[in-house]
Amino acid sequence: EATDKKWKVVAIDCGAKYNIYRHLSSIGCEIVSVPNTSTVDEIKAHCPNGLFISNGPGDPAAVTSTVSTLKEIAGTIPTFGICLGHQMLALSLGANTWKLKFGHRGTNQPVRDLETGKVEITSQNHGFCVDEQSLLDAECTVTHRHLNDDTVAGFKHNRLPIMGVQ
């Protein structure tokens, strides 16, 4: 089937909202949604230009099969995760996560983009955070910081095409 999309992106669906896929499609992505139980071979069979790991509920450390898959495939193709996907990507690189005393919930979460200095008001709904020192030890750079509690809200790998945002 013909498509006018520029990039094929495999989306590991951990509970994504439709609007996220709509936004990816609007910028030229053909989205192939796969369950979070998909294997590396199943993902690669789609010959994607990129890998997206979605948001979803719960403790990222409990999703061991997805983290294990990400250890194998993340960075072999450009990889991007949001929320739970961001946290699982960090775990797959060797970083740690921890439970926030009070989660980040609501449509008014202030985040600073450390590369531009711009403050963005974001929508978040999560109770876990990536440990900053373990992320730095995993050869990553913090790119975004939550301004209410100074926690990591985004990162990129220093060598591999991997990034994530809360």
Side-chain angles (χ1 to χ4, degrees), residues 41 112 146:
D41 289 340
R112 181 181 307 278
H146 196 289

Side-chain angles (χ1 to χ4, degrees), residues 16-151:
K17 295 177 182 165
Y18 172 76
N19 197 39
I20 292 165
Y21 292 153
R22 187 179 63 79
H23 279 292
L24 288 170
S25 181
S26 77
I27 61 168
C29 296
E30 173 191 352
I31 309 299
V32 178
S33 179
V34 299
N36 74 313
T37 54
S38 297
T39 66
V40 169
D41 289 340
E42 290 168 341
I43 293 166
K44 286 185 175 182
H46 294 285
C47 301
N49 303 105
L51 179 64
F52 170 74
I53 305 93
S54 83
N55 57 314
D59 181 350
V63 196
T64 55
S65 63
T66 305
V67 171
S68 179
T69 298
L70 292 174
K71 283 181 184 179
E72 276 188 70
I73 197 170
T76 64
I77 54 177
T79 305
F80 178 67
I82 61 169
C83 198
L84 179 65
H86 151 92
Q87 297 161 7
M88 289 189 301
L89 266 178
L91 289 170
S92 77
L93 294 168
N96 300 312
T97 57
W98 51 276
K99 186 166 178 45
L100 292 160
K101 184 174 182 181
F102 301 103
H104 297 157
R105 314 226 183 261
T107 58
N108 59 346
Q109 302 296 313
V111 171
R112 181 181 307 278
D113 180 327
L114 299 178
E115 294 177 344
T116 67
K118 184 178 180 181
V119 173
E120 300 161 332
I121 303 303
T122 67
S123 177
Q124 297 185 22
N125 185 22
H126 65 94
F128 291 85
C129 189
V130 175
D131 175 72
E132 184 167 352
Q133 187 57 56
S134 68
L135 191 63
L136 298 175
D137 293 344
E139 298 184 71
C140 295
T141 298
V142 175
T143 59
H144 295 78
R145 188 166 300 286
H146 196 289
L147 295 179
N148 285 344
D149 59 10
D150 210 34
T151 55

